[in-house]
Amino acid sequence: MMKRPAFYLDTQICTGCKTCMVACKDKNDLDLGIRWRRVVEFTGGEWARFPDGTYAQNVFAYYISVSCNHCRDPICVQSCPTTAMQQDEYGVVSVDQDTCVGCRYCEWGCPYSSPQFDAKRGKMTKCDFCMDLLLEGGIPACVASCPTRALQFGELDELEEKYGSDMIIAPLPRSSLTEPCSIYGSHKNARPRETAAGFIANPEEVKDA
Amino acid sequence: MTKTNQFLKEQAGETSVVWSSCNVNCGSRCPLRLHVQNGEVVRIDPENTGDDPSGTHEVRACLRGRGLRQWVYSRERLLKPLKRVGKRGEGRFAEISWDEALDHVAGELDRIINTYGNEAVYRMYGTGNLGGVVSSHLQVDRLMNILGGQLNFHNNYSNAQLTHAMQYTYGQSGTGNPISDLVNSRLAVFFGNNPAETRMSGGGTIRDLVVAKQQNDLRVIVIDPRYTDTAAGFADEWIPIRPGTDAALVSGLAYVLISESLVDLEFLARYSVGYDSSTMPSGVPTGSSYKDYIRGESADGIAKTPQWAAAVTGIPDWRIIQLAREIGTAKPVYIAQGWGPQRHANGEQTARAIAMLPILTGNVGIPGGNSGDREGKYEIDFPKIPVGENPVKTSIPCFLWTRAVANPTGFTRLNSGLLGRDRLATGIKFIWNVASNTLINQHSDINRTKQILADERQCETIVVIDTVMTPSARFADIVLPSTTAFEESDLCYQSYAMEVGFLLLRRQAIAPRGESRTLYDTCAELADRLGAGAAFTENRSHDDWVEHLYHQCRRVKPELPADYRAACETGLFKWAVPADYREPMRNFREDPQRFPLATPSGKIEIFSSRLAEMAQTWELQEGESISALPEYQPPAAGTEAQEQHSLPLMCVGHHYKQRTHSSYANNPWLTEAAPQTVWIHPWDAQERGVEHGDLVRIFNQHGSTAVQARVTPRIMPGVLSLPQGAWYLEGEGGVDRNGCINILTSQHPSPVAKGNPQHTNWVQLEKISGKA
């Protein structure tokens, strides 16, 4: 078992196929509306029309698959009034189902929408890094599923050494908020975090139902 | 570890892991590992054999294969045989016993063969269950051939126009270099080619593209009306183009290539006919060569300048000039077309025109080059179920099946591409619709199809064999419930969208749901009732056939274990592309005398004498034309309708990650991940007061559909894209409520192939009040 498991996403080869999302739902039997992993499409660009009826444009798009970043400074844990939201010795953040009262404070705090509310049961749920598989020496369902091998996981230190730890790509929030432990590699189309050049093109697919 | 999510996991009995697969028509057939607990599949894992990127890497299923539990355990599963009780298409059925259902089907088959002959029986084109050898729809063909045959079809709904175009140009289709060959290219130009969304398995073309681009960071240009996921991830430049105008772009490019002496004259002289007067066939009037057409020295008198092409395509003239120089100077260039450009009313011409770029620049048959066809594949010739010979030789283009039902006496060789006869002898009276949604959903012009099927004097019997209640199944007279891949054992192997060879022995993982049966057992029971039981089964059960065909696979790959049980234990076997693999056009390029093409001249036919003859003899409708050269022809039928009905927008229907064609379209997990929306440019949306997420109505002379708007700069102004395959959901007055594009498409076929022009649709769009 590794010391501190972390996700790495090569956004350059993430095609937004959403296999990771569905593999996660299958592994964890998630009802509709509960999305432990979500894929954000960031799109932008302008069009111009010339007098001869032709066009020029600088359209761009890229995808970012986001789950829980199992942050160093997990705001969800801090905002939980019942201590149901916990971080274990591996840095993995999860919800103790017996203690959770479904107040949803963690959901409001998290800038990544990682905690997902199960309305049927009145409890909060979230990605636990497939800890059951990790302890068996396996790999998380989302990582194992990735058709292009864009989504990887590994020891946080090693990933940071290999890929760096900057997360400046739009539309991810400032890392200083929660000190996330995922690494998002850059895309040739990537825009800096503070940009007006693009927008989240699929809000209905990533926000809570 | 905390008590994390324990509530989700039933700590019940032992779990076994069983090999299965996803078997729909994306060209991949991904292996899966099913976790089975107490007789139920509780989890799906991807296959986990093979190193990366060795050529035998993991063939990881995409979201569609990973969501399969929602389909197998769907509430829409057909669990009992059904007999229609209302009017055809109303969707009212009564449950009946298998004996009753099979007696009825056998009786109808017998009656129709005796009354109208075997040519009145037709198995509908359909691809909802592909890859399983014994579970294949070919079982119906095997049964029918034993019973005296049935009407054949040719073509498919994927690439009819391209296939014909390549046959007239190269004498064969499937001439593409594999996409992994991009490691040898300096530039790639994709016309409507989008493996990120059409060939998205982790063992498929998209994976090969990722690896090739990582090894050789070559420049990639994508030409498409839509900024596809392939363009977003892999293109250095996207050139948006008006749908159906690729041939005009190519003509403009050819003008620059010719004017600036960037044409490979030596290649053209040695390998092709029809570029200029020096290689024209005899007896053809002067001014008929390709060069004459491009330079305006042919009958139309129009020089195909970049300015001319700009006005047609929407691409600025300066960009056309630059692109021509890029293509003309960066050898080798890999030019490939997807299947979207050709799925138009003028698709054959478009497909032939795109191939002109590698022909003009001599990029055909070399490493890193391509013929202009879609990327190639690696195939191992494993066996299929033997179907015997069909005594009936008559064959219709599959897209014209509604014409063969409604107007058989007007169905001829010269007006409908009929083969084997000059005119149909009978209409289609009995339809087998097996794992197919072509009966309603995937065929053009649903309202017209409904009308034709509603008349029970025309097609008298419709038998649907499927797993779920599809829009097509609602039009059945008898519905027979079928097992899914999870419920039967089979053999399955690689298909057209990949470069890994594999053989999978998939095992039955769970009991058949409800009273569903394997297709094999259904056909065997029918054969028995019609006195052909032993001839059909050869005294083998379904599982006996799997074992029998496994041993035939060993003739192809002798290293497979002799012990069938041991082979089943292993489950999955893989082969990398062999080192001596040769791209399809290499032999011709190296020695055209020894390896001539299958065209009449043995060379690449820029000018096709066969098409010239067809242009004289075939009966075409107004606005249609066939031409011997790869000329630009506006999609005439579409334009006429546009003017008549003031329809300003062209609506295409891209392939969507939510489903494969219409397979799995009812899967809620997939719909959540990728909802059905129509792509519309912000300018077109603004003009109509439409905002992202609004419910809109799209309509034309054929019908009307309601769907949510996806307002995005990723689509060209004036163009909509409504992803094909969403299930038709009838609302009031025949209005579709689910964004099914075939409510808007036309049954008018393309002129040469008689193929489906399902991207040539002029439409209007308006907002429906209220947020969806």
Side-chain angles (χ1 to χ4, degrees):
Chain A
M1 179 66 203
M2 47 184 71
K3 207 159 81 231
R4 181 91 200 221
F7 291 116
Y8 166 69
L9 179 73
D10 181 352
T11 62
Q12 181 57 60
I13 59 171
C14 172
T15 60
C17 74
K18 299 168 180 171
T19 303
C20 50
M21 248 177 113
V22 175
C24 174
K25 291 194 83 102
D26 179 71
K27 157 70 170 54
N28 297 299
D29 263 322
L30 303 183
D31 282 344
L32 288 181
I34 304 177
R35 288 168 280 208
W36 289 2
R37 191 168 267 288
R38 303 154 301 285
V39 179
V40 182
E41 178 194 332
F42 195 74
T43 292
E46 299 293 328
W47 283 75
R49 187 176 198 275
F50 300 120
D52 64 352
T54 65
Y55 300 95
Q57 47 73 37
N58 59 357
V59 170
F60 71 89
Y62 55 92
Y63 293 95
I64 306 181
S65 170
V66 182
S67 176
C68 174
N69 298 303
H70 302 283
C71 304
R72 286 190 185 85
D73 189 11
I75 203 164
C76 57
V77 173
Q78 291 155 25
S79 56
C80 177
T82 67
T83 71
M85 191 68 81
Q86 304 168 4
Q87 190 161 31
D88 68 14
E89 66 265 38
Y90 306 108
V92 172
V93 178
S94 56
V95 193
D96 184 330
Q97 294 297 308
D98 296 338
T99 317
C100 177
V101 295
C103 70
R104 307 179 74 165
Y105 285 9
C106 54
E107 184 186 1
W108 297 330
C110 175
Y112 303 95
S113 302
S114 295
Q116 296 265 313
F117 189 59
D118 181 342
K120 227 191 270 173
R121 293 174 50 259
K123 302 272 183 185
M124 196 48 73
T125 69
K126 68 179 290 302
C127 160
D128 69 348
F129 224 114
C130 286
M131 190 50 99
D132 54 340
L133 299 183
L134 286 193
L135 289 171
E136 287 168 10
I139 54 180
C142 55
V143 172
S145 79
C146 183
T148 64
R149 284 70 163 167
L151 188 60
Q152 307 275 339
F153 87 114
E155 193 69 74
L156 177 63
D157 294 348
E158 289 167 22
L159 290 174
E160 281 185 337
E161 197 174 331
K162 194 165 169 192
Y163 300 110
S165 57
D166 287 348
M167 286 210 315
I168 50 163
I169 171 172
L172 293 169
R174 258 184 300 134
S175 7
S176 60
L177 283 176
T178 61
E179 300 286 335
C181 288
S182 303
I183 294 166
Y184 297 90
S186 199
H187 188 282
K188 67 181 165 55
N189 294 333
R191 294 300 192 269
R193 195 182 55 74
E194 317 247 333
T195 180
F199 58 96
I200 294 175
N202 60 341
E204 64 286 343
E205 293 172 23
V206 292
K207 285 199 179 133
D208 293 336
Chain B
M1 202 187 162
T2 57
K3 284 180 279 180
T4 311
N5 306 317
Q6 288 298 334
F7 67 95
L8 294 170
K9 294 160 201 138
E10 209 186 7
Q11 299 302 312
E14 277 187 32
T15 304
S16 56
V17 178
V18 182
W19 280 108
S20 191
S21 56
C22 177
N23 288 127
V24 289
N25 189 17
C26 67
S28 202
R29 332 291 191 228
C30 297
L32 301 168
R33 289 179 302 141
L34 308 182
H35 290 240
V36 184
Q37 229 173 56
N38 301 326
E40 196 184 334
V41 179
V42 295
R43 190 175 111 202
I44 298 174
D45 274 354
E47 75 102 338
N48 59 346
T49 71
D51 299 321
D52 225 6
S54 62
T56 55
H57 45 274
E58 292 173 4
V59 181
R60 295 183 181 179
C62 74
L63 70 164
R64 303 181 285 228
R66 301 306 303 271
L68 271 176
R69 285 198 298 140
Q70 293 285 318
W71 176 61
V72 171
Y73 295 110
S74 162
R75 270 180 297 188
E76 292 168 56
R77 268 300 290 275
L78 295 164
L79 302 174
K80 290 191 168 170
L82 303 173
K83 186 176 185 180
R84 171 168 68 87
V85 291
K87 284 186 201 153
R88 191 183 273 165
E90 266 185 349
R92 291 199 293 134
F93 295 96
E95 289 178 358
I96 55 173
S97 71
W98 266 103
D99 275 341
E100 213 180 325
L102 292 167
D103 288 346
H104 182 84
V105 172
E108 279 298 281
L109 200 52
D110 197 44
R111 180 183 70 79
I112 281 167
I113 290 173
N114 285 328
T115 313
Y116 303 103
N118 283 74
E119 293 191 43
V121 180
Y122 183 68
R123 179 180 62 77
M124 182 69 68
Y125 173 86
T127 61
N129 181 12
L130 287 189
V133 178
V134 180
S135 52
S136 165
H137 54 229
L138 294 177
Q139 294 289 5
V140 174
D141 299 357
R142 177 178 167 84
L143 172 65
M144 287 313 305
N145 290 346
I146 293 168
L147 298 176
Q150 63 181 337
L151 183 62
N152 296 284
F153 65 76
H154 51 275
N155 296 348
N156 56 45
Y157 279 62
S158 292
N159 55 25
Q161 290 91 320
L162 174 66
T163 301
H164 283 248
M166 292 298 106
Q167 279 163 353
Y168 290 110
T169 308
Y170 291 112
Q172 65 178 98
S173 60
T175 55
N177 288 23
I179 211 154
S180 56
D181 200 28
L182 285 176
V183 295
N184 298 311
S185 313
R186 287 186 56 204
L187 171 70
V189 183
F190 292 160
F191 284 81
N193 199 15
N194 180 23
E197 290 170 273
T198 59
R199 295 182 165 184
M200 56 196 286
S201 122
T205 308
I206 185 58
R207 176 62 186 150
D208 299 322
L209 174 59
V210 166
V211 172
K213 186 92 163 85
Q214 283 172 340
Q215 290 173 0
N216 173 26
D217 192 13
L218 79 167
R219 186 167 156 73
V220 176
I221 297 171
V222 169
I223 300 167
D224 199 301
R226 200 171 64 92
Y227 187 66
T228 61
D229 289 345
T230 303
F234 305 97
D236 296 277
E237 187 173 355
W238 171 45
I239 300 180
I241 184 168
R242 290 199 181 98
T245 68
D246 307 68
L249 170 62
V250 171
S251 300
L253 293 169
Y255 187 91
V256 180
L257 290 169
I258 293 168
S259 310
E260 302 192 2
S261 302
L262 294 171
V263 170
D264 188 340
L265 292 172
E266 209 178 311
F267 176 84
L268 288 166
R270 183 157 183 223
Y271 296 97
S272 74
V273 297
Y275 170 68
D276 60 18
S277 55
S278 68
T279 57
M280 285 297 283
S282 58
V284 179
T286 52
S288 305
S289 76
Y290 186 71
K291 193 173 166 189
D292 295 330
Y293 165 72
I294 295 298
R295 299 188 58 84
E297 287 152 12
S298 62
D300 72 0
I302 300 168
K304 309 304 176 308
T305 62
Q307 293 71 29
W308 171 86
V312 178
T313 60
I315 302 167
D317 53 357
W318 51 265
R319 189 64 198 92
I320 295 172
I321 295 166
Q322 274 176 3
L323 180 60
R325 289 173 184 161
E326 280 191 80
I327 290 172
T329 55
K331 215 166 182 173
V333 186
Y334 186 99
I335 294 165
Q337 57 185 309
W339 294 344
Q342 58 91 48
R343 204 174 294 115
H344 274 280
N346 59 356
E348 297 91 346
Q349 289 299 94
T350 296
R352 267 170 56 74
I354 293 168
M356 281 312 297
L357 293 174
I359 294 168
L360 289 171
T361 53
N363 275 293
V364 178
I366 56 171
N370 190 31
S371 62
D373 203 337
R374 194 163 190 177
E375 72 273 359
K377 61 192 168 188
Y378 167 58
E379 274 186 308
I380 301 173
D381 199 17
F382 286 126
K384 294 185 168 70
I385 199 85
V387 297
E389 199 183 334
N390 187 354
V392 173
K393 299 303 167 204
T394 315
S395 179
I396 61 168
C398 61
F399 181 61
L400 294 187
W401 69 270
T402 30
R403 187 182 287 182
V405 173
N407 184 19
T409 51
F411 198 115
T412 72
R413 182 171 66 85
L414 293 177
N415 73 18
S416 302
L418 183 66
L419 299 177
R421 275 190 192 277
D422 286 336
R423 184 180 297 275
L424 274 183
T426 170
I428 294 171
K429 297 291 180 186
F430 183 109
I431 292 177
W432 289 107
N433 188 79
V434 182
S436 170
N437 213 351
T438 312
L439 188 68
I440 284 290
N441 212 78
Q442 298 304 95
H443 189 54
S444 286
D445 196 350
I446 288 174
N447 284 326
R448 170 90 184 112
T449 309
K450 280 167 63 181
Q451 237 173 28
I452 291 168
L453 293 180
D455 185 350
E456 292 170 41
R457 291 165 309 176
Q458 290 185 330
C459 182
E460 297 180 9
T461 306
I462 299 174
V463 177
V464 169
I465 303 180
D466 216 320
T467 54
V468 283
M469 183 50 84
T470 64
S472 291
R474 290 171 66 84
F475 278 77
D477 300 318
I478 294 284
V479 179
L480 302 176
S482 184
T483 45
T484 67
F486 288 12
E487 294 145 75
E488 54 184 310
S489 299
D490 211 336
L491 296 170
C492 152
Y493 45 85
Q494 86 289 327
S495 189
Y496 57 81
M498 55 202 312
E499 297 178 31
V500 186
F502 72 81
L503 177 69
L504 173 73
L505 285 89
R506 81 173 195 225
R507 304 279 82 199
Q508 180 180 348
I510 54 172
R513 291 211 53 213
E515 293 179 20
S516 65
R517 288 187 183 177
T518 65
L519 177 63
Y520 180 78
D521 286 351
T522 300
C523 289
E525 289 270 4
L526 286 169
D528 201 41
R529 279 167 169 76
L530 294 160
F536 180 80
T537 63
E538 299 178 21
N539 294 317
R540 289 191 190 97
S541 69
H542 177 107
D543 288 358
D544 292 342
W545 272 102
V546 177
E547 184 170 351
H548 171 70
L549 289 166
Y550 169 75
H551 289 296
Q552 294 201 348
C553 292
R554 294 190 58 243
R555 292 184 197 162
V556 181
K557 289 286 179 190
E559 63 269 35
L560 286 164
D563 180 353
Y564 175 63
R565 279 170 198 281
C568 289
E569 277 300 305
T570 307
L572 180 61
F573 302 87
K574 283 189 196 158
W575 295 269
V577 179
D580 60 355
Y581 172 84
R582 288 173 72 80
E583 304 85 11
M585 299 300 283
R586 272 278 281 286
N587 285 345
F588 169 68
R589 180 68 188 255
E590 285 171 8
D591 193 344
Q593 270 70 46
R594 195 167 149 223
F595 300 106
L597 298 180
T599 54
S601 63
K603 294 184 176 184
I604 298 169
E605 299 207 340
I606 299 171
F607 181 96
S608 165
S609 306
R610 287 183 294 179
L611 286 172
E613 195 198 319
M614 283 162 63
Q616 301 299 316
T617 54
W618 278 32
E619 296 161 20
L620 298 174
Q621 294 187 33
E622 206 180 318
E624 287 183 353
S625 65
I626 294 176
S627 88
L629 292 173
E631 300 170 2
Y632 170 65
Q633 289 164 350
T639 314
E640 238 168 72
Q642 178 204 16
E643 283 162 12
Q644 216 175 329
H645 302 273
S646 333
L647 303 170
L649 301 168
M650 172 71 90
C651 183
V652 297
H654 66 272
H655 286 38
Y656 192 30
K657 59 190 93 170
Q658 193 271 341
R659 51 190 172 263
T660 298
H661 306 300
S662 77
S663 297
Y664 310 150
N666 61 331
N667 183 327
W669 277 356
L670 303 184
T671 306
E672 178 186 43
Q676 177 73 351
T677 57
V678 61
W679 291 39
I680 181 170
H681 189 275
W683 295 346
D684 295 320
Q686 196 179 21
E687 202 180 305
R688 292 163 177 79
V690 170
E691 285 175 30
H692 184 83
D694 281 350
L695 196 60
V696 297
R697 194 170 81 88
I698 311 168
F699 59 94
N700 66 8
Q701 72 274 27
H702 300 300
S704 173
T705 180
V707 69
Q708 271 186 293
R710 182 185 196 89
V711 179
T712 173
R714 292 179 60 173
I715 186 102
M716 193 175 188
V719 182
L720 305 177
S721 191
L722 180 62
Q724 64 103 356
W727 283 8
Y728 170 65
L729 186 61
E730 187 174 346
E732 266 177 54
V735 173
D736 168 56
R737 294 187 285 137
N738 202 35
C740 177
I741 193 170
N742 283 320
I743 205 83
L744 305 169
T745 51
S746 166
Q747 289 188 0
H748 190 120
S750 66
V752 175
K754 307 300 177 192
N756 44 323
Q758 285 168 309
H759 295 318
T760 304
N761 310 297
W762 291 102
V763 302
Q764 179 57 290
L765 177 147
E766 67 184 18
K767 182 178 169 172
I768 298 174
S769 47
K771 270 271 198 213

mmCIF file of all heavy atoms in Angstrom, chain B residues 715-736:
data_model
loop_
_atom_site.group_PDB
_atom_site.id
_atom_site.type_symbol
_atom_site.label_atom_id
_atom_site.label_comp_id
_atom_site.label_asym_id
_atom_site.label_seq_id
_atom_site.Cartn_x
_atom_site.Cartn_y
_atom_site.Cartn_z
ATOM 1 N N ILE B 715 -19.541 24.632 -32.954
ATOM 2 C CA ILE B 715 -20.222 24.287 -34.211
ATOM 3 C C ILE B 715 -20.235 25.523 -35.093
ATOM 4 O O ILE B 715 -20.308 26.648 -34.619
ATOM 5 C CB ILE B 715 -21.642 23.749 -33.939
ATOM 6 C CG1 ILE B 715 -22.319 23.245 -35.222
ATOM 7 C CG2 ILE B 715 -22.536 24.792 -33.266
ATOM 8 C CD1 ILE B 715 -22.297 21.773 -35.336
ATOM 9 N N MET B 716 -20.150 25.290 -36.405
ATOM 10 C CA MET B 716 -20.097 26.385 -37.365
ATOM 11 C C MET B 716 -21.433 27.126 -37.412
ATOM 12 O O MET B 716 -22.490 26.512 -37.259
ATOM 13 C CB MET B 716 -19.828 25.765 -38.726
ATOM 14 C CG MET B 716 -19.448 26.733 -39.778
ATOM 15 S SD MET B 716 -19.030 25.812 -41.266
ATOM 16 C CE MET B 716 -18.385 27.140 -42.248
ATOM 17 N N PRO B 717 -21.407 28.432 -37.642
ATOM 18 C CA PRO B 717 -22.670 29.158 -37.828
ATOM 19 C C PRO B 717 -23.456 28.551 -38.998
ATOM 20 O O PRO B 717 -22.869 28.130 -39.998
ATOM 21 C CB PRO B 717 -22.222 30.582 -38.161
ATOM 22 C CG PRO B 717 -20.843 30.700 -37.607
ATOM 23 C CD PRO B 717 -20.243 29.334 -37.716
ATOM 24 N N GLY B 718 -24.755 28.499 -38.843
ATOM 25 C CA GLY B 718 -25.603 27.967 -39.915
ATOM 26 C C GLY B 718 -25.743 26.460 -39.892
ATOM 27 O O GLY B 718 -26.437 25.883 -40.721
ATOM 28 N N VAL B 719 -25.061 25.805 -38.954
ATOM 29 C CA VAL B 719 -25.075 24.351 -38.894
ATOM 30 C C VAL B 719 -25.562 23.909 -37.506
ATOM 31 O O VAL B 719 -25.184 24.496 -36.498
ATOM 32 C CB VAL B 719 -23.662 23.764 -39.139
ATOM 33 C CG1 VAL B 719 -23.697 22.238 -39.118
ATOM 34 C CG2 VAL B 719 -23.094 24.265 -40.457
ATOM 35 N N LEU B 720 -26.408 22.886 -37.475
ATOM 36 C CA LEU B 720 -26.771 22.237 -36.215
ATOM 37 C C LEU B 720 -26.190 20.830 -36.240
ATOM 38 O O LEU B 720 -26.025 20.244 -37.309
ATOM 39 C CB LEU B 720 -28.296 22.109 -36.077
ATOM 40 C CG LEU B 720 -29.151 23.352 -36.199
ATOM 41 C CD1 LEU B 720 -30.635 22.964 -36.094
ATOM 42 C CD2 LEU B 720 -28.784 24.367 -35.121
ATOM 43 N N SER B 721 -25.893 20.294 -35.060
ATOM 44 C CA SER B 721 -25.607 18.866 -35.005
ATOM 45 C C SER B 721 -26.448 18.232 -33.912
ATOM 46 O O SER B 721 -26.365 18.603 -32.748
ATOM 47 C CB SER B 721 -24.126 18.575 -34.782
ATOM 48 O OG SER B 721 -23.901 17.190 -35.006
ATOM 49 N N LEU B 722 -27.273 17.300 -34.342
ATOM 50 C CA LEU B 722 -28.164 16.572 -33.432
ATOM 51 C C LEU B 722 -27.688 15.127 -33.444
ATOM 52 O O LEU B 722 -27.906 14.401 -34.416
ATOM 53 C CB LEU B 722 -29.606 16.667 -33.945
ATOM 54 C CG LEU B 722 -30.679 15.949 -33.114
ATOM 55 C CD1 LEU B 722 -30.768 16.537 -31.712
ATOM 56 C CD2 LEU B 722 -32.043 16.047 -33.812
ATOM 57 N N PRO B 723 -26.979 14.692 -32.374
ATOM 58 C CA PRO B 723 -26.346 13.371 -32.415
ATOM 59 C C PRO B 723 -27.335 12.256 -32.735
ATOM 60 O O PRO B 723 -28.406 12.175 -32.138
ATOM 61 C CB PRO B 723 -25.723 13.212 -31.027
ATOM 62 C CG PRO B 723 -26.110 14.400 -30.224
ATOM 63 C CD PRO B 723 -26.714 15.407 -31.119
ATOM 64 N N GLN B 724 -26.952 11.424 -33.699
ATOM 65 C CA GLN B 724 -27.848 10.375 -34.172
ATOM 66 C C GLN B 724 -28.018 9.269 -33.145
ATOM 67 O O GLN B 724 -27.127 9.025 -32.346
ATOM 68 C CB GLN B 724 -27.321 9.803 -35.495
ATOM 69 C CG GLN B 724 -25.968 9.091 -35.380
ATOM 70 C CD GLN B 724 -26.059 7.568 -35.384
ATOM 71 O OE1 GLN B 724 -27.148 6.997 -35.399
ATOM 72 N NE2 GLN B 724 -24.924 6.906 -35.351
ATOM 73 N N GLY B 725 -29.162 8.595 -33.185
ATOM 74 C CA GLY B 725 -29.348 7.384 -32.392
ATOM 75 C C GLY B 725 -30.258 7.518 -31.186
ATOM 76 O O GLY B 725 -30.598 6.514 -30.570
ATOM 77 N N ALA B 726 -30.634 8.755 -30.815
ATOM 78 C CA ALA B 726 -31.575 8.907 -29.693
ATOM 79 C C ALA B 726 -32.897 8.239 -30.087
ATOM 80 O O ALA B 726 -33.298 8.274 -31.248
ATOM 81 C CB ALA B 726 -31.791 10.382 -29.377
ATOM 82 N N TRP B 727 -33.561 7.658 -29.105
ATOM 83 C CA TRP B 727 -34.770 6.877 -29.412
ATOM 84 C C TRP B 727 -35.977 7.770 -29.644
ATOM 85 O O TRP B 727 -36.320 8.605 -28.796
ATOM 86 C CB TRP B 727 -35.057 5.903 -28.278
ATOM 87 C CG TRP B 727 -34.172 4.704 -28.305
ATOM 88 C CD1 TRP B 727 -33.084 4.494 -29.117
ATOM 89 C CD2 TRP B 727 -34.290 3.533 -27.496
ATOM 90 N NE1 TRP B 727 -32.527 3.277 -28.849
ATOM 91 C CE2 TRP B 727 -33.237 2.661 -27.863
ATOM 92 C CE3 TRP B 727 -35.173 3.129 -26.507
ATOM 93 C CZ2 TRP B 727 -33.058 1.416 -27.254
ATOM 94 C CZ3 TRP B 727 -34.988 1.893 -25.911
ATOM 95 C CH2 TRP B 727 -33.957 1.043 -26.283
ATOM 96 N N TYR B 728 -36.607 7.532 -30.763
ATOM 97 C CA TYR B 728 -37.838 8.224 -31.136
ATOM 98 C C TYR B 728 -38.897 8.031 -30.045
ATOM 99 O O TYR B 728 -39.171 6.910 -29.610
ATOM 100 C CB TYR B 728 -38.335 7.655 -32.469
ATOM 101 C CG TYR B 728 -39.707 8.092 -32.883
ATOM 102 C CD1 TYR B 728 -39.975 9.423 -33.182
ATOM 103 C CD2 TYR B 728 -40.745 7.165 -33.004
ATOM 104 C CE1 TYR B 728 -41.237 9.823 -33.575
ATOM 105 C CE2 TYR B 728 -42.010 7.556 -33.406
ATOM 106 C CZ TYR B 728 -42.254 8.885 -33.680
ATOM 107 O OH TYR B 728 -43.500 9.275 -34.066
ATOM 108 N N LEU B 729 -39.456 9.150 -29.605
ATOM 109 C CA LEU B 729 -40.465 9.122 -28.548
ATOM 110 C C LEU B 729 -41.637 9.953 -29.045
ATOM 111 O O LEU B 729 -41.563 11.183 -29.105
ATOM 112 C CB LEU B 729 -39.868 9.719 -27.274
ATOM 113 C CG LEU B 729 -40.699 9.657 -26.004
ATOM 114 C CD1 LEU B 729 -41.011 8.221 -25.610
ATOM 115 C CD2 LEU B 729 -39.940 10.356 -24.875
ATOM 116 N N GLU B 730 -42.690 9.265 -29.432
ATOM 117 C CA GLU B 730 -43.782 9.949 -30.124
ATOM 118 C C GLU B 730 -44.587 10.805 -29.165
ATOM 119 O O GLU B 730 -45.070 10.351 -28.140
ATOM 120 C CB GLU B 730 -44.685 8.921 -30.801
ATOM 121 C CG GLU B 730 -45.731 9.581 -31.662
ATOM 122 C CD GLU B 730 -46.546 8.585 -32.468
ATOM 123 O OE1 GLU B 730 -46.139 7.414 -32.556
ATOM 124 O OE2 GLU B 730 -47.592 8.992 -32.997
ATOM 125 N N GLY B 731 -44.712 12.083 -29.532
ATOM 126 C CA GLY B 731 -45.595 12.965 -28.805
ATOM 127 C C GLY B 731 -46.821 13.259 -29.652
ATOM 128 O O GLY B 731 -47.077 12.572 -30.646
ATOM 129 N N GLU B 732 -47.543 14.281 -29.275
ATOM 130 C CA GLU B 732 -48.770 14.605 -30.012
ATOM 131 C C GLU B 732 -48.465 14.976 -31.454
ATOM 132 O O GLU B 732 -47.492 15.667 -31.737
ATOM 133 C CB GLU B 732 -49.472 15.781 -29.332
ATOM 134 C CG GLU B 732 -50.521 15.315 -28.335
ATOM 135 C CD GLU B 732 -51.152 16.479 -27.609
ATOM 136 O OE1 GLU B 732 -51.639 17.395 -28.297
ATOM 137 O OE2 GLU B 732 -51.121 16.466 -26.373
ATOM 138 N N GLY B 733 -49.297 14.495 -32.368
ATOM 139 C CA GLY B 733 -49.156 14.828 -33.783
ATOM 140 C C GLY B 733 -47.886 14.291 -34.415
ATOM 141 O O GLY B 733 -47.384 14.841 -35.388
ATOM 142 N N GLY B 734 -47.361 13.201 -33.857
ATOM 143 C CA GLY B 734 -46.171 12.579 -34.451
ATOM 144 C C GLY B 734 -44.891 13.339 -34.171
ATOM 145 O O GLY B 734 -43.847 13.031 -34.727
ATOM 146 N N VAL B 735 -44.949 14.361 -33.313
ATOM 147 C CA VAL B 735 -43.745 15.118 -32.973
ATOM 148 C C VAL B 735 -42.881 14.273 -32.042
ATOM 149 O O VAL B 735 -43.371 13.724 -31.061
ATOM 150 C CB VAL B 735 -44.136 16.449 -32.279
ATOM 151 C CG1 VAL B 735 -42.911 17.180 -31.754
ATOM 152 C CG2 VAL B 735 -44.916 17.332 -33.236
ATOM 153 N N ASP B 736 -41.602 14.172 -32.379
ATOM 154 C CA ASP B 736 -40.689 13.421 -31.516
ATOM 155 C C ASP B 736 -40.283 14.290 -30.329
ATOM 156 O O ASP B 736 -40.073 15.487 -30.468
ATOM 157 C CB ASP B 736 -39.452 13.010 -32.321
ATOM 158 C CG ASP B 736 -38.351 12.484 -31.434
ATOM 159 O OD1 ASP B 736 -38.613 11.531 -30.688
ATOM 160 O OD2 ASP B 736 -37.238 13.038 -31.467
#
